[in-house]
Amino acid sequence: MTAAPAPAPIALDPLARDNAAEGALLRAAGPAVPVVLPGGVAAWAVTRHAAARDLLTDARLVKDARHWAAYQRGEVPKTWPLIGLAVPGPSMVTTDGAEHRRLRALVAQAFTPRRVELMRPRVEEITHALLDALAAGEPLVDLKSAFAFPLPMTVICSLLGVPESEHGLLRDLYERFFGVKPDPEGIQATVAGLNAFVNGLVAQRRSAPGEDLASALLAADTEGGALTDAEAAATLRVIIAAGHETTVNLIGNAVRALLAHPDQLALVRAGEVSWDAVIEESLRWTPPTSNFLFRFAAEPIEVGELVIPAGDPVLVSYNAIGRDPLQHGVTAELFDITRDPTRHLSFGHGPHVCPGSPLARLEAAVALPALFERFPGLSLTVPDGELRPSPSLVVNSLQELPVRLW
């Protein structure tokens, strides 16, 4: 088969974010589209549900950056703003095959449905404490800072035994980590700060193990052996990032969608539609992750009439996939909690599907009904169109979510 010529690359601009418009533009260009990221880094974006489902189980598309030709040639500097996401270190996120299964098994044990359900009382306790604090304060708040962020950060840090005094530091580090500001020294400092934190946590738990997930990961042993310090540090960095960022965005995006669609909020309040339906529709319509970096073509891969060359990086555009009409019908662009359930891929698919997705769903299932029950008059303090998206190619979030509680 002769490959069709690739269309002109589409530049992805993180500083002028309109995630829905970006997704529509990419999806219209085809199932796989060449894109240019900040700093001139070339990649391919997967934009259709069916193509993503197939590619995410294709053994030729790997996580090992040794297959990234431009990076191996030195054409992508280590100061590239997104380097920490593209090449984050030896963990379950960056390995394939048996090594991936070994590293993932250690993490997956902590997030089985049974173990996650056992966390429900703690999630409820944290949720109600945050709502009590909101009720005792002023009516105008940034709901992201006051509720959507501290809930999952407190939960994941409780699991890891990280004290509350360090939650703010982690938030600051990860906001800069997921950003794309062209500041080489700042990027290096952010990565160094994250590495120092997780390396310190590993050292602490090696010397004084506790009753927490970090200690359990270090003590666990699988058929392939226990985690090395480097693997443990990289794994903890992934757990902290995925354990809070996804849920922050899920809660914030769901609240925004419901406030923008009061008729649908009325349905769920009346019990005519479940909160689970709200969560799944929000995940589809505004996925917490905009674009997931990177996988790499270990050999040429055909996608439709195009061929992704060996050595090229591939990102998955959840912005585009979530509203694919071939999967979700002609109303795919609409937020509709009453639609017939259709499978989305917003937590990934295949061997690398997010192991923490049950916890994210649990946190949202506790937080959302509790929030709207406590504050039935909840409303935005600015028009929806004036809400500011975070300047990131990776996370689909708002810089703040200003609301009036009563």
Side-chain angles (χ1 to χ4, degrees):
M1 175 180 177
T2 302
I10 296 174
L12 302 185
D13 181 5
L15 300 180
R17 300 306 290 158
D18 184 335
N19 288 318
E22 175 187 279
L25 177 67
L26 292 172
R27 194 171 53 248
V33 182
V35 293
V36 179
L37 280 60
V41 173
W44 291 78
V46 183
T47 71
R48 306 274 179 84
H49 180 100
R53 185 187 58 224
D54 292 343
L55 287 170
L56 291 176
T57 56
D58 192 321
R60 297 172 297 174
L61 198 62
V62 301
K63 299 290 289 186
D64 189 342
R66 287 177 294 183
H67 291 277
W68 186 6
Y71 182 69
Q72 297 303 323
R73 292 194 298 264
E75 296 169 9
V76 181
K78 296 186 185 300
T79 55
W80 184 48
L82 294 171
I83 198 66
L85 287 162
V87 189
S91 74
M92 64 179 184
V93 173
T94 59
T95 52
D96 304 286
E99 184 66 1
H100 169 254
R101 290 190 292 273
R102 177 180 77 88
L103 296 172
R104 181 184 175 88
L106 297 171
V107 176
Q109 292 171 13
F111 296 106
T112 62
R114 178 179 176 276
R115 290 192 175 185
V116 167
E117 185 58 33
L118 291 174
M119 299 180 200
R120 182 181 292 272
R122 178 60 174 148
V123 174
E124 291 175 342
E125 177 187 1
I126 295 169
T127 297
H128 291 297
L130 290 169
L131 294 176
D132 288 344
L134 286 173
E138 298 296 324
L140 302 180
V141 298
D142 171 13
L143 198 66
K144 179 177 180 179
S145 294
F147 184 68
F149 167 76
L151 171 57
M153 180 58 83
T154 303
V155 170
I156 200 67
C157 286
S158 293
L159 284 173
L160 296 173
V162 176
E164 187 174 350
S165 60
E166 297 183 304
H167 295 188
L169 168 66
L170 284 175
R171 176 182 184 170
D172 179 61
L173 286 170
Y174 275 105
E175 282 187 342
R176 287 189 273 129
F177 181 70
F178 285 116
V180 290
K181 293 182 180 179
D183 177 9
E185 291 184 3
I187 295 303
Q188 295 286 71
T190 298
V191 172
L194 285 170
N195 287 339
F197 182 88
V198 293
N199 288 337
L201 186 58
V202 168
Q204 291 169 15
R205 296 302 185 271
R206 288 284 193 206
S207 62
E211 299 296 324
D212 56 75
L213 177 57
S215 299
L217 286 172
L218 291 169
D221 198 357
T222 63
E223 185 176 340
L227 291 174
T228 65
D229 283 359
E231 290 170 340
T235 297
L236 288 171
R237 195 168 75 179
V238 169
I239 289 174
I240 296 170
H244 84 276
E245 186 68 35
T246 298
T247 309
V248 172
N249 301 341
L250 170 55
I251 293 172
N253 292 344
V255 169
R256 178 188 185 180
L258 288 171
L259 293 180
H261 298 83
D263 56 330
Q264 297 192 52
L265 177 56
L267 290 175
V268 72
R269 277 179 162 159
E272 297 181 32
V273 180
S274 71
W275 283 102
D276 286 344
V278 173
I279 291 166
E280 297 310 313
E281 180 65 353
S282 180
L283 285 168
R284 179 198 73 81
W285 196 61
T286 47
T289 301
S290 297
N291 301 292
F292 197 96
L293 281 62
F294 268 141
R295 287 169 172 81
F296 309 98
E299 56 186 87
I301 302 175
E302 293 180 359
V303 183
E305 296 181 352
L306 298 175
V307 174
I308 299 175
D312 279 11
V314 178
L315 63 86
V316 181
S317 175
Y318 292 110
N319 283 336
I321 291 167
R323 302 191 186 190
D324 183 356
L326 296 177
Q327 172 68 13
H328 302 292
V330 295
T331 63
E333 288 287 348
L334 302 179
F335 179 76
D336 181 6
I337 62 176
T338 69
R339 73 172 63 247
D340 292 335
T342 53
R343 185 178 182 184
H344 61 74
L345 302 177
S346 296
F347 281 125
H349 180 64
H352 285 273
V353 67
C354 177
S357 59
L359 179 58
R361 285 184 165 103
L362 171 65
E363 290 171 323
V366 170
L368 291 170
L371 173 68
F372 282 98
E373 181 179 352
R374 181 70 69 92
F375 303 111
L378 186 71
S379 61
L380 293 176
T381 60
V382 299
D384 182 85
E386 294 182 11
L387 294 173
R388 300 187 302 161
S390 295
S392 171
L393 286 176
V394 179
V395 296
N396 190 356
S397 66
L398 297 167
Q399 294 186 44
E400 61 276 315
L401 184 56
V403 301
R404 174 179 288 278
L405 299 173
W406 62 83

